[in-house]
Amino acid sequence: MEQQNKRILTLDLIKGISVIGMIIIHTLLVYANVKSQYETAIGSFIVFLGRGTSIFLICMGITFMTSSHQSLKSALKRGILLVFAGLFMNFMKFMIPVIFNFAPDNFMQKYGWHAPIEQQYVYLVQLGDILQLAGMSLLFVGFIREYVKNKYIILTIGLFVALISREVSGLNLDYPVINYVLDLLFNTDYPAYVYFPVFPWMAFIIIGMFFGKWFQELNYNAKQIFKNMLYVGLLFIAIGAPLVFLYGDYNYNGFYHMGPGGVIYFAGWTLLFLWLINTITANVKENGFMRILKYCSKNLTSMYMIQWILISWGKGIFGYRQHEIGYVSVLIVLYIILTFSVQTLVDILRKKKTLINFRPISSNKTALK
């Protein structure tokens, strides 16, 4: 079976939608005032969309199992690169505005700081976001893909990660470098430091791996794997709902640091959503919008970094959390255009570099001078 048959169009479309969605969400969170975020229909809906992280992570787990790069070495290498990409992104987001003196004062006040804030450089660069989560998770799930061949054992590992997440949360030691790694794994100090700790969020990736393995065993039958997602999703909701709504202090306790019941509940709704999107798009012919979404999916990591850097820089121009929803809507359109423009420029530079690297060396004497 050819490699293109192993790709699931629905996952590419969802990852593409997530690129556009995150520009919308981050623009709102950075520029809209509290009233616009929570007391308007548009703002409330966009904030709700921001709870879709589990969709991206389950998709990541599925594609991780069906990727053409299956070696443990490639997973570990990409994991390390993503962690450093996250640190680089933070440097560009926070330090460039500080260094060039266009960081808004009310952003500093959010953390209880007052200018100058040079002493907070390290803190800002280390903030844990989705790239650090993905990178740290790959250092674990690479071993699972390499050594665990039974899909039900993979699922059990994912559920175990969710199960122990509340018990290991907040674990740290008094050693700076080690403590940073432990914070990325177990931190509970939202919103000030790590937004997506590996425990419990890695559980979603491993649940996705379970379906990726199942997809392989079904000989890449996309229709059947989504039907299976529907059944498992309903089961997860039935298990997770009573845990979340009856024992929420332990099993949910907030979106960013949910317990085992929250993971199962959100995973269930995510699987239902994936089934629904596949049902809607299964018979749709490829069009221009779908090609744009596939382009976004292909460049997800770089576009994620680009949009965050641009939106963060804009705080010095447009202000921080000061605007009504109409003004923010204009900024959303602006940042979608800017993100695609910068990504296009990156593509041109990549192609130019590739052409230079592969340009044949002339054998005549003139070329040697």
Side-chain angles (χ1 to χ4, degrees), residues 69-99:
H69 304 289
Q70 288 287 311
S71 70
L72 176 60
K73 182 180 178 180
S74 70
L76 299 180
K77 180 180 177 181
R78 179 159 177 76
I80 293 170
L81 287 174
L82 282 174
V83 171
F84 280 100
L87 295 173
F88 172 75
M89 183 185 74
N90 284 343
F91 178 85
M92 297 298 289
K93 282 172 62 179
F94 299 118
M95 293 301 96
I96 295 300
V98 170
I99 291 169

Side-chain angles (χ1 to χ4, degrees), residues 59-124:
C59 290
M60 175 183 168
I62 296 170
T63 55
F64 181 67
M65 293 299 288
T66 58
S67 167
S68 58
H69 304 289
Q70 288 287 311
S71 70
L72 176 60
K73 182 180 178 180
S74 70
L76 299 180
K77 180 180 177 181
R78 179 159 177 76
I80 293 170
L81 287 174
L82 282 174
V83 171
F84 280 100
L87 295 173
F88 172 75
M89 183 185 74
N90 284 343
F91 178 85
M92 297 298 289
K93 282 172 62 179
F94 299 118
M95 293 301 96
I96 295 300
V98 170
I99 291 169
F100 292 96
N101 198 31
F102 62 93
D105 289 339
N106 64 330
F107 172 72
M108 300 177 190
Q109 291 164 8
K110 172 190 173 185
Y111 292 96
W113 302 338
H114 301 281
I117 59 167
E118 283 77 5
Q119 67 270 26
Q120 304 294 346
Y121 279 10
V122 174
Y123 178 88
L124 287 168

Side-chain angles (χ1 to χ4, degrees), residues 107-177:
F107 172 72
M108 300 177 190
Q109 291 164 8
K110 172 190 173 185
Y111 292 96
W113 302 338
H114 301 281
I117 59 167
E118 283 77 5
Q119 67 270 26
Q120 304 294 346
Y121 279 10
V122 174
Y123 178 88
L124 287 168
V125 171
Q126 289 181 346
L127 288 176
D129 206 340
I130 198 77
L131 290 179
Q132 287 90 334
L133 163 65
M136 292 294 292
S137 296
L138 283 174
L139 302 181
F140 290 92
V141 301
F143 287 95
I144 296 173
R145 184 178 66 182
E146 181 75 12
Y147 297 110
V148 181
K149 304 305 179 183
N150 185 298
K151 64 179 181 291
Y152 294 111
I153 296 179
I154 294 175
L155 178 61
T156 301
I157 294 172
L159 296 176
F160 179 73
V161 169
L163 183 66
I164 67 169
S165 60
R166 183 69 74 211
E167 300 304 319
V168 297
S169 63
L171 180 66
N172 58 48
L173 301 172
D174 196 20
Y175 298 96
V177 176

